[in-house]
Amino acid sequence: MELSKKESVPGNIKTTPPEEVGSKDDLSPCVPGQTKTSTARVLTKEELDRLSGERALVSDFKQMKLEKEAQKNWDLFYKRNTTNFFKDRHWTTREFEELKACREFDSQKLVLLEAGCGVGNCIFPLLEDDLNIFVYACDFSARAVEFVKQNPLYCPERCCAFQCDLTKDDLRENVPECSVDVVTLIFVLSAVHPDKMKLALQNISRVVKPGGIVLFRDYGLYDHAMLRFKAGSKLGENFYVRQDGTRSYFFSKELLAELFADTGLQSVANDYVLRETVNKKEGLCVPRVFLQSKFIKPGQS
């Protein structure tokens, strides 16, 4: 459950499937023009009119079908795209210094959980860069997990990959309770039905050690990908379905803070990341909005 690596995507407004829109966030976030802010993006009148006109929701029958077939839709996604759709995330250690700074000494082994690992585009750069790290990696899609295990860099001594539905499968069956230093939750929670997000966070919280941290990055409210969904795609407030049946939620910082607080995790940072994506060929400049946050589990580190 990740985002596309195709760098020309945002310009292909007429032909690109919705799931490919948003790919620019997988470029390095440390680029000119990116800003962090505590306030949501201000919409234009045209954008406000477009959103206010979206009243009709997908039928209850179709919504139940989408929920029932959620895992199948992600498996089909990885069947179509294999390991070629996503870009390796070499930017995570730059954006989240906790991946290096939370150690008391350099040789201390760091235990990380990548919740929603996809095909490993986050974990393999980390494993290459840091020899003193052990990674638990799980994903909703069994096919994605198989791609992780087939990667030449996969080593059972340093990584344990397994299939998991975060909303119902107890992580403690694969990860010891209170054992994880850092959790990365990057473009994953948005794919979970809003009614089940708290269940996923409670599941994650059980394996985080006191003083451990959850690093979060996902779609923010009024991101361009949200504004370009067509009629018949809306499932609920800020919740949409793509053409391939996968779903995406767009977070406000207030809702995210409430979700984590209800799980017993304290906010350390919670900001919108605003940037513009320019496609010279199409002559388009589109606003991207992401939410980047850090939450800590109370207790002695």
Side-chain angles (χ1 to χ4, degrees), residues 79-96:
K79 181 179 181 179
R80 288 191 303 270
N81 298 289
T82 66
T83 60
N84 300 317
F85 197 74
F86 302 113
K87 183 176 181 178
D88 284 348
R89 291 172 173 149
H90 293 282
W91 52 263
T92 50
T93 52
R94 295 197 300 269
E95 279 296 288
F96 296 117

Side-chain angles (χ1 to χ4, degrees), residues 231-293:
S233 302
K234 190 171 184 180
L235 302 172
E237 186 177 4
N238 306 329
F239 192 40
Y240 297 83
V241 60
R242 303 183 180 96
Q243 291 175 354
D244 64 356
T246 61
R247 299 166 297 178
S248 184
Y249 187 86
F250 296 83
F251 290 94
S252 69
K253 59 175 293 184
E254 292 80 12
L255 176 78
L256 188 71
E258 182 180 339
L259 280 171
F260 275 88
D262 289 346
T263 313
L265 299 171
Q266 298 176 351
S267 176
V268 177
N270 190 21
D271 296 298
Y272 293 105
V273 176
L274 308 181
R275 58 179 297 177
E276 290 186 338
T277 295
V278 180
N279 185 283
K280 295 180 181 179
K281 182 178 179 181
E282 298 290 334
L284 294 172
C285 181
V286 296
R288 304 313 314 273
V289 183
F290 309 117
L291 199 57
Q292 186 160 306
S293 314

Side-chain angles (χ1 to χ4, degrees), residues 105-130:
F105 48 91
D106 290 341
S107 61
Q108 180 181 348
K109 185 173 287 293
L110 189 71
V111 177
L112 182 140
L113 168 63
E114 167 79 350
C117 62
V119 296
N121 300 99
C122 179
I123 64 171
F124 289 122
L126 290 175
L127 287 168
E128 280 190 294
D129 185 56
D130 192 337

Side-chain angles (χ1 to χ4, degrees), residues 49-113:
D49 291 342
R50 188 187 313 164
L51 283 180
S52 62
E54 293 179 351
R55 291 194 173 91
L57 300 181
V58 171
S59 69
D60 290 343
F61 174 79
K62 185 175 180 181
Q63 294 218 34
M64 287 189 291
K65 187 172 185 288
L66 287 168
E67 178 66 19
K68 183 178 180 180
E69 298 179 351
Q71 184 175 1
K72 183 184 78 171
N73 288 331
W74 278 107
D75 274 332
L76 289 172
F77 172 87
Y78 287 109
K79 181 179 181 179
R80 288 191 303 270
N81 298 289
T82 66
T83 60
N84 300 317
F85 197 74
F86 302 113
K87 183 176 181 178
D88 284 348
R89 291 172 173 149
H90 293 282
W91 52 263
T92 50
T93 52
R94 295 197 300 269
E95 279 296 288
F96 296 117
E97 68 276 6
E98 287 80 4
L99 290 169
K100 289 185 175 294
C102 66
R103 292 181 171 91
E104 294 181 15
F105 48 91
D106 290 341
S107 61
Q108 180 181 348
K109 185 173 287 293
L110 189 71
V111 177
L112 182 140
L113 168 63

Side-chain angles (χ1 to χ4, degrees), residues 166-167 170-172 196-208 259-260 262-265 297:
L166 290 171
T167 67
D170 194 334
L171 280 168
R172 292 173 295 185
K196 297 183 177 182
M197 289 179 181
K198 191 180 296 186
L199 293 174
L201 294 179
Q202 289 171 343
N203 197 4
I204 289 170
S205 179
R206 295 185 191 106
V207 300
V208 179
L259 280 171
F260 275 88
D262 289 346
T263 313
L265 299 171
K297 185 173 182 177

